[in-house]
Amino acid sequence: MASNAGAPLKSYYERHIFFCLNERKNGEECCAQHRAQEGFDRCKMQIKAAGLAGPGQVRVNKAGCLDRCAAGPVAVVYPEAVWYTYVDDHDIDEIVESHLKNGKVVARLLIPASLGR
Amino acid sequence: MASNAGAPLKSYYERHIFFCLNERKNGEECCAQHRAQEGFDRCKMQIKAAGLAGPGQVRVNKAGCLDRCAAGPVAVVYPEAVWYTYVDDHDIDEIVESHLKNGKVVARLLIPASLGR
């Protein structure tokens, strides 16, 4: 990474997960058609219930299109830049428990590098 | 960072900037009242015009509330976890030119660590 942008900063949130909640009005496929809102709600609820929400801990965030629609529904965890797809509550719970709480990536839910828009 | 989550991964986007576009319906202060949409649009347009949009480069993303409202309007650049506030087009252009294009943090626009919700 060029210049000083890669300097070791303490991230305001230890982990910041963004869920694509994009909804296409023209009927095209979008994350909103694939339980994205439910996934977001579940994740937010679990993190709050665990007392992990807030600065220095975890933020569960709404986002617009993340432009990796071929893998949707998608979410990305920063600063690690780890991308997930998910199907149901079980997947969300595993991301919460393994990654967001304990820092261990959930390999089975990773998006293949080749999948983009 | 615990376990394998901090392993060096190549980020799908070299830099992923999220703009809070949150709009509060109850009349409370929110980024949407402070030119957030204009800032997002300007940033997206500049990155596209520079040919820097896409995988391996830059993604300019809409986001919901980032919960650092005291510093609003706000945007965050990952994976560096660098947080900015901005006022006008000039600020956006400096973030684009200095940080998003050249990896150099714009110190004058950084959000103080103490500013949160």
Side-chain angles (χ1 to χ4, degrees), chain A residues 12 55, chain B residues 68 70-71 111-117:
Chain A
Y12 182 77
Chain B
R68 297 194 72 179
I111 298 178
S114 60
L115 283 186
R117 182 182 305 179

Side-chain angles (χ1 to χ4, degrees), chain A:
Chain A
M1 206 157 297
S3 188
N4 61 348
L9 290 167
K10 181 161 169 46
S11 185
Y12 182 77
Y13 298 117
E14 187 185 13
R15 298 194 173 90
H16 198 167
I17 184 169
F18 294 87
F19 281 81
C20 174
L21 298 183
N22 193 42
E23 188 178 351
R24 297 190 198 282
K25 301 294 184 190
N26 60 6
E28 276 179 39
E29 284 263 75
C30 58
C31 288
Q33 292 175 341
H34 294 273
R35 300 189 74 255
Q37 184 70 49
E38 291 86 340
F40 168 80
D41 289 342
R42 174 90 183 179
C43 186
K44 197 155 187 93
M45 183 263 289
Q46 297 283 51
I47 289 297
K48 200 167 177 181
L52 288 176
Q57 301 191 91
V58 177
R59 172 76 181 167
V60 182
N61 224 101
K62 296 181 187 182
C65 181
L66 298 168
D67 216 24
R68 297 194 71 179
C69 315
V74 302
V76 58
V77 183
Y78 282 114
E80 294 116 316
V82 171
W83 289 78
Y84 289 117
T85 186
Y86 56 91
V87 171
D88 54 22
D89 285 352
H90 174 75
D91 292 344
I92 296 293
D93 291 353
E94 193 169 341
I95 291 168
V96 168
E97 192 62 34
S98 177
H99 191 161
L100 300 180
K101 285 189 187 173
N102 297 307
K104 187 168 160 50
V105 169
V106 184
R108 73 176 184 87
L109 298 176
L110 291 175
I111 298 178
S114 60
L115 284 187
R117 182 183 304 181

Side-chain angles (χ1 to χ4, degrees), chain B residues 36-112:
Chain B
Q37 183 70 49
E38 289 85 341
F40 167 80
D41 290 342
R42 175 90 183 178
C43 186
K44 197 154 185 95
M45 183 263 289
Q46 297 283 53
I47 289 297
K48 200 168 175 181
L52 288 177
Q57 301 190 93
V58 177
R59 172 76 181 167
V60 182
N61 223 102
K62 297 180 186 181
C65 182
L66 298 167
D67 216 26
R68 297 194 72 179
C69 314
V74 302
V76 57
V77 182
Y78 282 113
E80 293 116 316
V82 171
W83 289 77
Y84 289 116
T85 186
Y86 55 92
V87 172
D88 54 21
D89 286 352
H90 174 74
D91 292 344
I92 296 293
D93 292 353
E94 192 168 342
I95 291 169
V96 168
E97 192 63 33
S98 177
H99 191 161
L100 301 180
K101 285 189 188 175
N102 297 306
K104 188 168 160 48
V105 168
V106 183
R108 73 176 183 86
L109 298 175
L110 290 177
I111 298 178

Side-chain angles (χ1 to χ4, degrees), chain B residues 23-43:
Chain B
E23 189 178 351
R24 296 189 199 283
K25 301 295 185 190
N26 60 5
E28 276 179 40
E29 283 263 74
C30 58
C31 288
Q33 292 174 342
H34 295 273
R35 302 189 74 254
Q37 183 70 49
E38 289 85 341
F40 167 80
D41 290 342
R42 175 90 183 178
C43 186

